[in-house]
Amino acid sequence: MKRRSPLLPILIVIILFFALSAYVLSGFNTINHWEGLAPAFWTVIISLGMAIIFAISQMRKGRNIFFTVVGHIFLIVLVAEMVFAIFLFIGDLYRVVSSISTNFQPQGYQITGRNDYWVDFAFIMFCLTVLLFAFGITRGKYAYRVIKHTLYFDDLPQHFDGFTLTQISDIHAGSFTKPKAVQKGIDLINAQKSDLFVFTGDLVNNAASEIVPYIPLFSQIKAPFGQFSVLGNHDYGDYVKWPSETDKIKNLNQLKAYHKELGFKLLLDEHVVLEKGGEKIILAGIENWGIGFGERGDLNKALQHTEAKDFKILLSHDPSHWDAQVKNHPSKIQLSLAGHTHGMQFGIEAFGIKWSPVKYRYKHWAGIKTENNRHLNVNRGFGFLGFSGRIGIWPEITVIELKRK
């Protein structure tokens, strides 16, 4: 069998991009009659198409600044053109239908021309999309938000009534470029003065060394009942090529050591007992377990020597683990904390609307979900990855208060 070229899907996308651009240009021509518009427009589009093909072809050598810049420009132009095309198409569809219904004659009908005001509106939406991406890249990725939840349990030990925990997830230290902005997020974490701090995985993008410049910052995080963490799928170094398997293992071991330097107790399929007033709750953590992202964690091992009646909190990076094993586990786990999805760093959470493209991949992708009298919180992530920005789905610091019913 002939092997398909890895560039074929990219070429298909580029062809569709050119077709979309042609339609967008027809709209631009409606409101701008400059003769040089088409040559200038196609010069930009063709250059961008060639640049993204070249950048992707060089990915074997690893991502670089050229790939990052070109990739972001391509994404911004593509999404802005799609927004413009959607509004342009609505206007075109309306004028066609309107022409058919009002001007129909036996010999045919005449389609009216485009409404300049409607095309102007589509162009305004195009510009707003570009500005929105610019904000997401420059400011949105560090626009930390504190999201608070109060959860009620009928089996919470009495002395833990009012107990608070702060959760962050998906730091992805290798993506940071502004330590001062990150420091503001850490100050916000400490300002919550929670009893417990937990981190639910993906400390780095790939290499353990990425966290080194930020150890002095994240080591400032302190909580009376301690700081605890688990590993995420990116922490294992699965997404880059290592000189040898030994180097990959060494990187993971170094990352585990950095958790200790941060002051985080790394839970690897194990649990700790938190005591208060002679009562206890169980805090368990497992290695990454996610459908399609490595099913490493062993939940039963993490719960060894615990009892079904114990109140339990579980740290598990990937929310798909909750659906697969946790929510119906024989030993009740009252609260699970996850991350991983980032809310895809793009979406809408306003006016009662909660939407992100990631919803088509993950059933529970952000916030609190309750089933079978058990709760799951999916943190939207502290950092960012891939797209160097956030739009509508802001970096999150979660504060959860536990209350007795």
Side-chain angles (χ1 to χ4, degrees), residues 146 148 166 184-194 399:
V146 176
K148 297 185 177 183
T166 291
K184 291 181 180 179
I186 293 170
D187 291 341
L188 201 54
I189 292 170
N190 283 328
Q192 305 313 307
K193 299 186 182 302
S194 292
V399 177

Side-chain angles (χ1 to χ4, degrees), residues 49-63:
M50 294 176 63
I52 195 66
I53 291 175
F54 176 77
I56 293 173
S57 70
Q58 298 298 305
M59 282 182 63
R60 297 176 184 175
K61 301 177 182 179
R63 294 191 177 189

Side-chain angles (χ1 to χ4, degrees), residues 61-106:
K61 301 177 182 179
R63 294 191 177 189
N64 51 42
I65 187 65
F66 179 76
F67 176 89
T68 300
V69 172
V70 171
H72 280 66
I73 293 175
F74 181 81
L75 177 64
I76 294 171
V77 172
L78 176 62
V79 175
E81 283 195 345
M82 289 175 64
V83 170
F84 180 84
I86 289 172
F87 284 99
L88 187 65
F89 179 76
I90 292 173
D92 286 346
L93 184 63
Y94 173 79
R95 67 190 179 91
V96 170
V97 173
S98 178
S99 297
I100 293 175
S101 61
T102 60
N103 298 324
F104 184 79
Q105 298 176 0

Side-chain angles (χ1 to χ4, degrees), residues 312-329:
K312 307 178 194 70
I313 300 174
L314 174 68
L315 310 182
S316 179
H317 176 70
D318 193 312
S320 64
H321 181 232
W322 190 73
D323 278 310
Q325 293 187 351
V326 179
K327 70 180 182 181
N328 295 313
H329 195 275

